[in-house]
Amino acid sequence: MTTTLLRTADELHARTRAGRRAVVMTMGALHEGHATLIRTARGIAGPDGEVVVTVFVNPLQFGKGEDLDRYPRTLEADLKIAEQAGADAVFAPAVEEVYPGGEPQVRISAGPMGERLEGSSRPGHFDGVLTVVAKLLHLTRPDVALYGQKDAQQLALIRRMVRDLNFGMEIVGVPTVREEDGLALSSRNRYLSPKERHTALALSQALFAGRDRHAAQEALRARAREVPATRARAEALSAIGESRAAADAHAVAKAVPGAAAAVRAAARLVLDEAARLDPPLELDYLALVDPSDFTEIDDDFTGEAVLAVAARVGTTRLIDNVTLIFGAAS
């Protein structure tokens, strides 16, 4: 398969469409995470469908002092990766093609969710993201568009925009791809020196510590459901050498479900240690949120939650997250 490079919307619209069109939006500097998105898109589109990868560094989503000018632009390498992963076309428009009248006066507002976490750290960022995503969805006209779960807040906002504004296409989230040591793949990883990269591992390590704490608590809660915390039952368990299990079950049965605070504490312990490294990790936020609106969850929360972290190592800002299910069984 030879991947076609397209520069204008007219070139894209002139292509003959047979099956479903699946679109993967990127800012270039493609890596294995993007390749996974493209391969997933290929599977969804099928042999008769079409996979289009967009490569566009959107100036609207970069704030003052951010890395727009130094953001890597590697189109030739991107074309090779896209082709190997199964893309039919790469749509790499110029800024003038996407914003023919200059910066748009009418933009998409991300609303309250867009002002939290990443939006609080980067004011206006998600307005810029949603504006360009809306334009690229109109320009590429897909049946399905795929985005990485690593940008969980962005994915949630895109889903909300598509639903609220009746865009009429399917949005698919694809799990985060990690390097062998756990670091989430990112185009910005290339900025890290060896020592900075070592410090940056604390992001994923903190999330995994929170995930492990959550798993342990959920296991104890399940044990509590299996072992009724009555005096008679505890005495019976004690008689057969399970007094500790009975005590644990009784304690967990009386505890507040979820124990979100303990998950946050386990993750923060790792981040606090990384703040003392050389170079140090400078934490932006650690949050355990409801993915429907990205507000912090309480200790009685049940359902899907996102444990998210953002931090700076040297001059590089990185984000990561994992999904946790609270109170999966009842």
Side-chain angles (χ1 to χ4, degrees), residues 177-271:
V177 178
R178 300 184 180 277
E179 300 193 35
E180 289 186 4
D181 57 11
L183 186 68
L185 285 176
S186 169
S187 301
R188 291 186 169 92
N189 289 352
R190 67 186 67 194
Y191 300 153
L192 299 169
S193 71
K195 290 182 69 175
E196 288 172 342
R197 196 183 184 289
H198 175 74
T199 296
L201 291 176
L203 274 79
S204 56
Q205 290 169 349
L207 296 178
F208 298 160
R211 184 181 64 189
D212 290 347
R213 177 65 172 170
H214 166 264
Q217 290 182 308
E218 290 294 315
L220 282 175
R221 292 181 64 215
R223 178 67 172 166
R225 287 189 292 268
E226 295 170 2
V227 183
T230 64
R231 183 182 182 88
R233 182 60 170 159
E235 290 174 351
L237 285 168
S238 181
I240 60 173
E242 294 192 21
S243 56
R244 179 58 184 272
D248 285 346
H250 181 68
V252 175
K254 293 179 67 176
V256 177
V263 172
R264 294 186 185 96
R268 183 169 288 277
L269 183 62
V270 176
L271 298 170

Coordinates of all heavy atoms in Angstrom, one line a residue, residues 177-271:
V177 N -0.4 3.8 24.8 CA 0.7 2.9 24.5 C 1.9 3.3 25.3 O 2.2 4.5 25.4 CB 1.0 2.9 23.0 CG1 2.3 2.0 22.7 CG2 -0.2 2.4 22.2
R178 N 2.6 2.4 26.0 CA 3.7 2.7 26.9 C 5.0 2.1 26.4 O 5.0 1.0 25.7 CB 3.4 2.3 28.3 CG 2.1 2.9 28.9 CD 1.9 2.5 30.3 NE 0.7 3.2 30.8 CZ 0.7 4.4 31.2 NH1 1.8 5.1 31.3 NH2 -0.5 5.0 31.6
E179 N 6.1 2.7 26.8 CA 7.4 2.1 26.6 C 7.6 1.0 27.6 O 6.8 0.8 28.5 CB 8.5 3.1 26.6 CG 8.3 4.2 25.6 CD 9.5 5.1 25.4 OE1 10.6 4.6 25.5 OE2 9.3 6.3 25.1
E180 N 8.6 0.2 27.4 CA 8.8 -1.0 28.3 C 8.9 -0.6 29.8 O 8.5 -1.4 30.7 CB 10.1 -1.8 27.9 CG 9.9 -2.5 26.6 CD 11.1 -3.4 26.2 OE1 12.0 -3.5 27.1 OE2 11.1 -4.0 25.2
D181 N 9.4 0.6 30.1 CA 9.6 1.0 31.5 C 8.3 1.7 32.0 O 8.3 2.1 33.1 CB 10.8 1.9 31.6 CG 10.8 3.1 30.7 OD1 9.7 3.4 30.1 OD2 11.8 3.8 30.6
G182 N 7.3 1.8 31.2 CA 6.0 2.3 31.7 C 5.7 3.7 31.2 O 4.6 4.2 31.3
L183 N 6.7 4.5 30.7 CA 6.5 5.8 30.3 C 5.6 5.9 29.1 O 5.7 5.2 28.1 CB 7.9 6.5 29.9 CG 7.8 8.0 29.6 CD1 7.5 8.8 30.9 CD2 9.1 8.4 29.0
A184 N 4.5 6.7 29.2 CA 3.6 6.8 28.1 C 4.2 7.5 26.9 O 5.0 8.4 27.1 CB 2.4 7.7 28.6
L185 N 4.0 6.9 25.8 CA 4.6 7.4 24.6 C 4.1 8.8 24.3 O 2.9 9.1 24.4 CB 4.3 6.5 23.4 CG 5.1 5.2 23.3 CD1 4.6 4.4 22.1 CD2 6.6 5.5 23.1
S186 N 5.0 9.7 23.9 CA 4.6 11.1 23.6 C 5.7 11.7 22.7 O 6.9 11.4 22.8 CB 4.5 11.9 24.9 OG 4.4 13.3 24.6
S187 N 5.2 12.5 21.8 CA 6.2 13.2 20.9 C 7.1 14.1 21.7 O 8.2 14.4 21.3 CB 5.4 14.1 19.9 OG 4.5 13.3 19.1
R188 N 6.7 14.5 22.9 CA 7.6 15.4 23.8 C 8.7 14.6 24.5 O 9.6 15.2 25.1 CB 6.7 16.2 24.7 CG 5.9 17.2 24.1 CD 5.1 18.1 25.1 NE 4.5 19.3 24.5 CZ 3.3 19.3 24.0 NH1 2.5 18.3 24.1 NH2 2.8 20.4 23.4
N189 N 8.6 13.3 24.5 CA 9.6 12.5 25.3 C 11.0 12.7 24.7 O 12.0 12.6 25.4 CB 9.3 11.0 25.2 CG 8.0 10.6 26.0 OD1 7.5 11.4 26.8 ND2 7.6 9.4 25.9
R190 N 11.0 13.1 23.4 CA 12.3 13.3 22.8 C 13.1 14.5 23.3 O 14.3 14.6 23.1 CB 12.2 13.4 21.3 CG 11.5 14.7 20.8 CD 11.2 14.7 19.3 NE 10.3 13.6 18.9 CZ 10.1 13.2 17.7 NH1 10.8 13.8 16.7 NH2 9.2 12.3 17.4
Y191 N 12.4 15.3 24.0 CA 13.0 16.5 24.7 C 13.8 16.1 25.9 O 14.6 16.9 26.4 CB 12.0 17.6 25.0 CG 11.2 18.1 23.9 CD1 9.9 18.6 24.1 CD2 11.6 18.2 22.6 CE1 9.1 19.2 23.1 CE2 10.9 18.7 21.6 CZ 9.6 19.2 21.8 OH 8.9 19.7 20.8
L192 N 13.5 15.0 26.5 CA 14.0 14.6 27.8 C 15.5 14.1 27.7 O 15.8 13.3 26.9 CB 13.2 13.5 28.4 CG 11.7 13.9 28.7 CD1 11.0 12.6 29.1 CD2 11.6 14.9 29.8
S193 N 16.4 14.6 28.6 CA 17.7 14.1 28.7 C 17.6 12.8 29.4 O 16.5 12.5 30.0 CB 18.6 15.1 29.5 OG 18.2 15.1 30.9
P194 N 18.6 12.0 29.5 CA 18.6 10.7 30.2 C 18.2 10.8 31.7 O 17.4 10.1 32.2 CB 20.0 10.1 30.0 CG 20.5 10.7 28.7 CD 19.9 12.1 28.7
K195 N 18.7 11.8 32.3 CA 18.4 12.0 33.7 C 16.9 12.5 33.9 O 16.2 12.1 34.8 CB 19.3 13.0 34.4 CG 20.8 12.5 34.6 CD 21.7 13.5 35.2 CE 21.3 13.7 36.7 NZ 22.2 14.6 37.4
E196 N 16.5 13.4 33.0 CA 15.1 13.9 33.0 C 14.1 12.7 32.8 O 13.1 12.6 33.4 CB 14.9 15.0 32.0 CG 15.6 16.3 32.4 CD 15.6 17.3 31.3 OE1 15.3 16.9 30.1 OE2 15.8 18.5 31.6
R197 N 14.5 11.8 31.9 CA 13.7 10.7 31.5 C 13.5 9.8 32.7 O 12.4 9.3 33.0 CB 14.2 9.9 30.4 CG 13.2 9.0 29.7 CD 13.8 8.2 28.6 NE 12.8 7.4 28.0 CZ 12.2 6.3 28.5 NH1 12.5 6.0 29.8 NH2 11.2 5.6 27.9
H198 N 14.6 9.6 33.5 CA 14.5 8.8 34.7 C 13.5 9.4 35.7 O 12.7 8.7 36.3 CB 15.9 8.7 35.4 CG 15.9 8.0 36.7 ND1 15.7 6.6 36.8 CD2 16.0 8.5 38.0 CE1 15.7 6.3 38.1 NE2 15.9 7.4 38.8
T199 N 13.6 10.7 35.9 CA 12.6 11.4 36.8 C 11.2 11.3 36.2 O 10.3 11.1 37.0 CB 13.0 12.9 36.9 OG1 14.3 13.0 37.5 CG2 12.0 13.7 37.7
A200 N 11.1 11.4 34.9 CA 9.7 11.4 34.3 C 9.0 10.1 34.5 O 7.8 10.0 34.5 CB 9.8 11.7 32.8
L201 N 9.7 9.0 34.8 CA 9.1 7.7 35.1 C 8.2 7.8 36.3 O 7.3 6.9 36.4 CB 10.2 6.6 35.3 CG 11.0 6.2 34.1 CD1 12.0 5.2 34.5 CD2 10.1 5.6 33.0
A202 N 8.4 8.8 37.1 CA 7.5 8.9 38.3 C 6.0 9.1 38.0 O 5.2 8.8 38.7 CB 8.0 10.0 39.2
L203 N 5.8 9.7 36.8 CA 4.4 9.9 36.4 C 3.6 8.6 36.3 O 2.6 8.4 37.0 CB 4.2 10.6 35.1 CG 4.3 12.2 35.1 CD1 5.7 12.7 35.3 CD2 3.7 12.8 33.9
S204 N 4.2 7.6 35.5 CA 3.5 6.3 35.4 C 3.6 5.5 36.7 O 2.7 4.8 37.1 CB 4.1 5.6 34.2 OG 5.5 5.4 34.3
Q205 N 4.7 5.6 37.4 CA 4.9 4.9 38.6 C 3.9 5.3 39.7 O 3.3 4.5 40.4 CB 6.3 5.1 39.2 CG 7.4 4.4 38.3 CD 8.8 4.7 38.7 OE1 9.0 5.7 39.4 NE2 9.8 4.0 38.1
A206 N 3.6 6.6 39.7 CA 2.6 7.2 40.7 C 1.2 6.6 40.3 O 0.4 6.2 41.2 CB 2.6 8.7 40.6
L207 N 0.9 6.6 39.0 CA -0.4 6.1 38.6 C -0.5 4.6 38.9 O -1.6 4.1 39.4 CB -0.6 6.3 37.1 CG -0.6 7.8 36.6 CD1 -0.8 7.9 35.1 CD2 -1.8 8.5 37.3
F208 N 0.5 3.9 38.7 CA 0.5 2.4 39.0 C 0.4 2.2 40.5 O -0.3 1.2 40.9 CB 1.7 1.7 38.4 CG 1.9 1.8 36.9 CD1 3.1 1.6 36.3 CD2 0.8 2.1 36.1 CE1 3.3 1.7 34.9 CE2 0.9 2.2 34.7 CZ 2.2 2.0 34.1
A209 N 1.0 3.0 41.3 CA 0.9 2.9 42.7 C -0.6 3.1 43.2 O -1.1 2.4 44.0 CB 1.8 3.8 43.5
G210 N -1.2 4.1 42.6 CA -2.6 4.4 42.9 C -3.5 3.3 42.4 O -4.4 2.9 43.1
R211 N -3.2 2.7 41.2 CA -3.9 1.6 40.7 C -3.8 0.4 41.6 O -4.8 -0.3 41.9 CB -3.5 1.3 39.3 CG -4.3 0.2 38.6 CD -3.7 0.0 37.2 NE -2.3 -0.5 37.2 CZ -1.6 -0.7 36.2 NH1 -2.0 -0.3 35.0 NH2 -0.3 -1.1 36.3
D212 N -2.6 0.1 42.1 CA -2.4 -1.1 42.9 C -3.1 -0.9 44.3 O -3.7 -1.9 44.8 CB -0.9 -1.2 43.2 CG -0.1 -1.7 42.0 OD1 -0.7 -2.1 41.0 OD2 1.1 -1.6 42.0
R213 N -3.1 0.3 44.8 CA -3.8 0.6 46.1 C -5.3 0.4 45.9 O -6.0 -0.2 46.7 CB -3.5 2.0 46.5 CG -4.3 2.4 47.8 CD -3.8 1.6 49.0 NE -4.4 2.2 50.2 CZ -4.3 1.6 51.4 NH1 -3.7 0.4 51.5 NH2 -4.9 2.1 52.4
H214 N -5.8 0.8 44.7 CA -7.2 0.7 44.4 C -7.6 -0.8 44.3 O -8.6 -1.3 44.8 CB -7.5 1.4 43.1 CG -8.8 1.1 42.5 ND1 -8.9 0.1 41.5 CD2 -10.1 1.5 42.7 CE1 -10.2 0.0 41.1 NE2 -10.9 0.8 41.9
A215 N -6.7 -1.6 43.6 CA -7.0 -3.0 43.4 C -7.0 -3.7 44.8 O -7.8 -4.6 45.0 CB -5.9 -3.6 42.5
A216 N -6.1 -3.4 45.7 CA -6.0 -4.0 47.0 C -7.3 -3.7 47.8 O -7.9 -4.5 48.4 CB -4.8 -3.5 47.8
Q217 N -7.7 -2.4 47.7 CA -9.0 -2.0 48.4 C -10.2 -2.7 47.9 O -11.1 -3.2 48.6 CB -9.1 -0.5 48.4 CG -8.1 0.2 49.2 CD -8.3 1.7 49.2 OE1 -8.4 2.3 48.2 NE2 -8.4 2.3 50.4
E218 N -10.3 -2.8 46.5 CA -11.4 -3.5 45.9 C -11.4 -4.9 46.3 O -12.5 -5.5 46.5 CB -11.4 -3.3 44.4 CG -11.7 -1.8 43.9 CD -13.1 -1.4 44.3 OE1 -14.0 -2.2 44.0 OE2 -13.2 -0.3 44.8
A219 N -10.2 -5.6 46.4 CA -10.2 -7.0 46.8 C -10.7 -7.1 48.2 O -11.4 -8.1 48.5 CB -8.7 -7.5 46.6
L220 N -10.3 -6.2 49.1 CA -10.8 -6.3 50.5 C -12.3 -6.1 50.6 O -13.0 -6.7 51.4 CB -10.0 -5.3 51.3 CG -8.6 -5.7 51.8 CD1 -8.0 -4.5 52.5 CD2 -8.6 -6.9 52.7
R221 N -12.8 -5.2 49.7 CA -14.2 -4.9 49.7 C -14.9 -6.2 49.3 O -16.0 -6.6 49.8 CB -14.6 -3.8 48.8 CG -14.1 -2.4 49.4 CD -14.5 -1.3 48.5 NE -15.9 -1.1 48.4 CZ -16.6 -0.8 47.3 NH1 -15.9 -0.5 46.2 NH2 -17.9 -0.7 47.3
A222 N -14.4 -6.9 48.3 CA -15.0 -8.1 47.8 C -15.0 -9.1 48.9 O -15.9 -9.9 49.1 CB -14.3 -8.6 46.5
R223 N -13.8 -9.2 49.6 CA -13.7 -10.1 50.8 C -14.8 -9.8 51.8 O -15.4 -10.7 52.4 CB -12.3 -10.0 51.4 CG -12.1 -10.9 52.6 CD -12.1 -12.4 52.2 NE -11.6 -13.2 53.3 CZ -11.8 -14.5 53.4 NH1 -12.4 -15.1 52.4 NH2 -11.4 -15.2 54.4
A224 N -15.0 -8.5 52.0 CA -16.0 -8.1 53.0 C -17.4 -8.6 52.6 O -18.2 -9.0 53.5 CB -16.0 -6.6 53.2
R225 N -17.7 -8.5 51.4 CA -19.0 -9.0 50.9 C -19.1 -10.5 51.1 O -20.2 -11.0 51.3 CB -19.2 -8.6 49.4 CG -19.4 -7.1 49.2 CD -19.8 -6.8 47.8 NE -18.7 -7.0 46.9 CZ -17.9 -6.1 46.5 NH1 -17.9 -4.9 47.0 NH2 -16.9 -6.4 45.6
E226 N -18.0 -11.2 50.9 CA -18.1 -12.7 51.0 C -18.1 -13.1 52.5 O -18.6 -14.2 52.8 CB -16.8 -13.3 50.4 CG -16.8 -13.1 48.9 CD -15.4 -13.5 48.3 OE1 -14.6 -14.0 49.1 OE2 -15.2 -13.3 47.1
V227 N -17.5 -12.3 53.4 CA -17.5 -12.7 54.8 C -18.3 -11.7 55.6 O -17.8 -10.6 55.9 CB -16.0 -12.6 55.3 CG1 -15.9 -13.1 56.7 CG2 -15.1 -13.5 54.4
P228 N -19.5 -12.0 56.0 CA -20.4 -11.1 56.7 C -19.7 -10.7 58.0 O -19.1 -11.5 58.8 CB -21.6 -11.9 57.0 CG -21.7 -12.9 55.9 CD -20.2 -13.3 55.6
A229 N -19.7 -9.4 58.3 CA -18.9 -8.9 59.5 C -19.8 -9.0 60.7 O -20.2 -8.0 61.3 CB -18.5 -7.5 59.2
T230 N -20.2 -10.2 61.1 CA -21.0 -10.4 62.3 C -20.1 -11.0 63.4 O -19.1 -11.6 63.1 CB -22.2 -11.3 62.1 OG1 -21.7 -12.6 61.8 CG2 -23.1 -10.8 61.0
R231 N -20.4 -10.8 64.6 CA -19.6 -11.3 65.7 C -19.5 -12.8 65.6 O -18.4 -13.4 65.8 CB -20.2 -10.9 67.1 CG -19.4 -11.3 68.3 CD -20.0 -10.9 69.6 NE -19.2 -11.3 70.7 CZ -18.3 -10.5 71.2 NH1 -18.0 -9.3 70.7 NH2 -17.6 -10.9 72.3
A232 N -20.6 -13.5 65.4 CA -20.6 -14.9 65.3 C -19.8 -15.4 64.2 O -19.0 -16.4 64.3 CB -22.1 -15.4 65.1
R233 N -19.8 -14.7 63.0 CA -19.0 -15.2 61.9 C -17.6 -14.9 62.1 O -16.7 -15.8 61.8 CB -19.5 -14.4 60.6 CG -18.8 -14.8 59.3 CD -19.0 -16.2 59.0 NE -18.5 -16.5 57.7 CZ -18.1 -17.8 57.3 NH1 -18.3 -18.8 58.1 NH2 -17.7 -18.0 56.1
A234 N -17.2 -13.8 62.8 CA -15.8 -13.5 63.1 C -15.3 -14.6 64.0 O -14.1 -15.0 63.9 CB -15.7 -12.1 63.7
E235 N -16.1 -14.9 65.0 CA -15.6 -16.0 66.0 C -15.4 -17.3 65.3 O -14.5 -18.0 65.6 CB -16.6 -16.1 67.1 CG -16.7 -14.9 68.0 CD -17.8 -15.0 69.1 OE1 -18.6 -15.9 69.0 OE2 -17.8 -14.1 70.0
A236 N -16.3 -17.6 64.3 CA -16.2 -18.9 63.6 C -14.9 -18.9 62.8 O -14.2 -19.9 62.7 CB -17.4 -19.1 62.7
L237 N -14.7 -17.7 62.1 CA -13.5 -17.6 61.3 C -12.2 -17.7 62.1 O -11.2 -18.4 61.8 CB -13.5 -16.3 60.5 CG -14.4 -16.2 59.3 CD1 -14.5 -14.8 58.8 CD2 -13.9 -17.1 58.2
S238 N -12.3 -17.1 63.3 CA -11.1 -17.1 64.2 C -10.8 -18.5 64.6 O -9.7 -18.9 64.8 CB -11.4 -16.2 65.4 OG -10.3 -16.2 66.3
A239 N -11.9 -19.3 64.8 CA -11.7 -20.7 65.3 C -11.0 -21.5 64.3 O -10.3 -22.5 64.6 CB -13.0 -21.3 65.6
I240 N -11.0 -21.2 63.0 CA -10.4 -21.9 62.0 C -9.1 -21.2 61.5 O -8.6 -21.4 60.4 CB -11.3 -22.3 60.8 CG1 -11.8 -21.0 60.2 CG2 -12.4 -23.2 61.3 CD1 -12.6 -21.3 58.9
G241 N -8.6 -20.2 62.3 CA -7.4 -19.6 61.9 C -7.5 -18.5 61.0 O -6.5 -18.1 60.3
E242 N -8.7 -17.8 60.8 CA -8.8 -16.7 59.9 C -9.2 -15.5 60.6 O -9.9 -14.7 60.1 CB -9.8 -17.1 58.8 CG -9.4 -18.2 57.9 CD -10.3 -18.3 56.6 OE1 -11.0 -17.3 56.3 OE2 -10.3 -19.4 56.1
S243 N -8.7 -15.3 61.8 CA -9.1 -14.1 62.5 C -8.6 -12.8 61.8 O -9.3 -11.8 61.8 CB -8.4 -14.1 63.9 OG -7.0 -14.3 63.8
R244 N -7.5 -12.8 61.2 CA -7.0 -11.6 60.5 C -7.9 -11.3 59.3 O -8.2 -10.1 59.0 CB -5.5 -11.8 60.0 CG -5.0 -10.6 59.2 CD -5.0 -9.3 60.1 NE -4.6 -8.2 59.3 CZ -3.3 -7.8 59.2 NH1 -2.4 -8.5 59.8 NH2 -3.0 -6.8 58.5
A245 N -8.3 -12.3 58.6 CA -9.2 -12.1 57.4 C -10.5 -11.6 57.9 O -11.1 -10.7 57.3 CB -9.4 -13.4 56.7
A246 N -11.0 -12.1 59.0 CA -12.3 -11.6 59.6 C -12.1 -10.1 60.0 O -13.0 -9.3 59.7 CB -12.7 -12.4 60.8
A247 N -11.0 -9.8 60.6 CA -10.8 -8.4 61.0 C -10.7 -7.5 59.8 O -11.3 -6.4 59.8 CB -9.5 -8.3 61.9
D248 N -10.0 -7.9 58.8 CA -9.8 -7.1 57.6 C -11.2 -6.9 57.0 O -11.6 -5.8 56.6 CB -8.9 -7.7 56.6 CG -7.5 -7.6 57.0 OD1 -7.2 -6.8 57.9 OD2 -6.6 -8.3 56.4
A249 N -12.0 -8.0 56.9 CA -13.3 -7.9 56.2 C -14.2 -7.0 57.0 O -14.9 -6.2 56.4 CB -13.9 -9.3 56.1
H250 N -14.2 -7.1 58.3 CA -15.0 -6.3 59.2 C -14.6 -4.8 59.0 O -15.5 -3.9 58.9 CB -14.9 -6.7 60.6 CG -15.7 -5.9 61.6 ND1 -17.1 -6.0 61.6 CD2 -15.4 -5.0 62.5 CE1 -17.6 -5.2 62.5 NE2 -16.6 -4.6 63.1
A251 N -13.3 -4.5 59.0 CA -12.9 -3.1 58.9 C -13.3 -2.5 57.5 O -13.8 -1.4 57.5 CB -11.4 -3.0 59.1
V252 N -13.1 -3.3 56.5 CA -13.4 -2.8 55.2 C -14.9 -2.6 55.0 O -15.4 -1.7 54.4 CB -12.8 -3.7 54.1 CG1 -13.3 -3.3 52.7 CG2 -11.3 -3.7 54.2
A253 N -15.7 -3.6 55.6 CA -17.1 -3.5 55.5 C -17.7 -2.2 56.1 O -18.7 -1.7 55.7 CB -17.8 -4.7 56.1
K254 N -17.0 -1.8 57.2 CA -17.4 -0.5 57.8 C -16.9 0.7 57.2 O -17.3 1.8 57.5 CB -17.0 -0.6 59.3 CG -17.7 -1.7 60.1 CD -17.2 -1.7 61.5 CE -17.6 -0.4 62.3 NZ -17.2 -0.4 63.7
A255 N -15.9 0.5 56.3 CA -15.2 1.7 55.7 C -16.1 2.3 54.7 O -17.0 1.7 54.1 CB -13.9 1.3 55.1
V256 N -15.8 3.6 54.3 CA -16.5 4.2 53.2 C -16.1 3.6 51.9 O -15.0 3.4 51.7 CB -16.2 5.7 53.2 CG1 -16.9 6.4 52.1 CG2 -16.6 6.4 54.5
P257 N -17.1 3.2 51.1 CA -16.8 2.6 49.8 C -15.9 3.5 48.9 O -16.0 4.7 49.0 CB -18.1 2.4 49.1 CG -19.1 2.4 50.3 CD -18.5 3.3 51.3
G258 N -15.0 2.9 48.2 CA -14.2 3.6 47.2 C -12.9 4.0 47.7 O -11.9 3.7 47.1
A259 N -12.8 4.7 48.8 CA -11.5 5.1 49.4 C -10.7 5.8 48.4 O -9.5 5.5 48.3 CB -10.8 3.9 50.1
A260 N -11.2 6.8 47.7 CA -10.5 7.6 46.7 C -9.3 8.3 47.3 O -8.3 8.4 46.7 CB -11.4 8.6 46.1
A261 N -9.5 8.7 48.6 CA -8.4 9.5 49.2 C -7.1 8.6 49.3 O -6.0 9.1 49.2 CB -8.8 10.0 50.6
A262 N -7.3 7.3 49.6 CA -6.1 6.4 49.7 C -5.4 6.2 48.4 O -4.2 6.1 48.3 CB -6.6 5.1 50.3
V263 N -6.2 6.2 47.3 CA -5.6 6.1 46.0 C -4.8 7.3 45.7 O -3.6 7.2 45.2 CB -6.7 5.9 44.9 CG1 -6.1 6.0 43.5 CG2 -7.4 4.6 45.2
R264 N -5.3 8.5 46.0 CA -4.6 9.7 45.7 C -3.3 9.8 46.6 O -2.3 10.2 46.1 CB -5.5 11.0 46.1 CG -6.7 11.2 45.2 CD -7.4 12.5 45.5 NE -8.6 12.7 44.8 CZ -9.8 12.4 45.2 NH1 -9.9 11.9 46.4 NH2 -10.9 12.6 44.5
A265 N -3.4 9.3 47.8 CA -2.3 9.4 48.7 C -1.2 8.4 48.2 O 0.0 8.8 48.3 CB -2.7 9.0 50.1
A266 N -1.5 7.3 47.7 CA -0.5 6.3 47.2 C 0.2 6.9 46.0 O 1.5 6.8 45.9 CB -1.2 5.0 46.9
A267 N -0.5 7.6 45.2 CA 0.1 8.2 44.0 C 1.0 9.4 44.4 O 2.1 9.5 43.9 CB -0.9 8.6 43.0
R268 N 0.5 10.2 45.3 CA 1.2 11.4 45.7 C 2.5 11.0 46.4 O 3.5 11.8 46.2 CB 0.4 12.2 46.6 CG 1.0 13.6 47.0 CD 0.1 14.5 47.6 NE -0.9 15.1 46.7 CZ -0.6 16.1 45.9 NH1 0.6 16.7 45.9 NH2 -1.5 16.6 45.1
L269 N 2.6 9.9 47.1 CA 3.8 9.5 47.8 C 5.0 9.4 46.8 O 6.1 9.8 47.0 CB 3.6 8.2 48.5 CG 4.8 7.7 49.4 CD1 5.1 8.7 50.5 CD2 4.4 6.3 50.0
V270 N 4.7 8.8 45.6 CA 5.7 8.6 44.6 C 6.1 9.9 44.0 O 7.3 10.2 43.8 CB 5.1 7.7 43.5 CG1 6.1 7.5 42.3 CG2 4.8 6.3 44.0
L271 N 5.1 10.8 43.8 CA 5.4 12.1 43.2 C 6.2 13.0 44.1 O 7.1 13.7 43.7 CB 4.1 12.8 42.8 CG 3.3 12.1 41.7 CD1 1.9 12.7 41.6 CD2 4.0 12.1 40.4

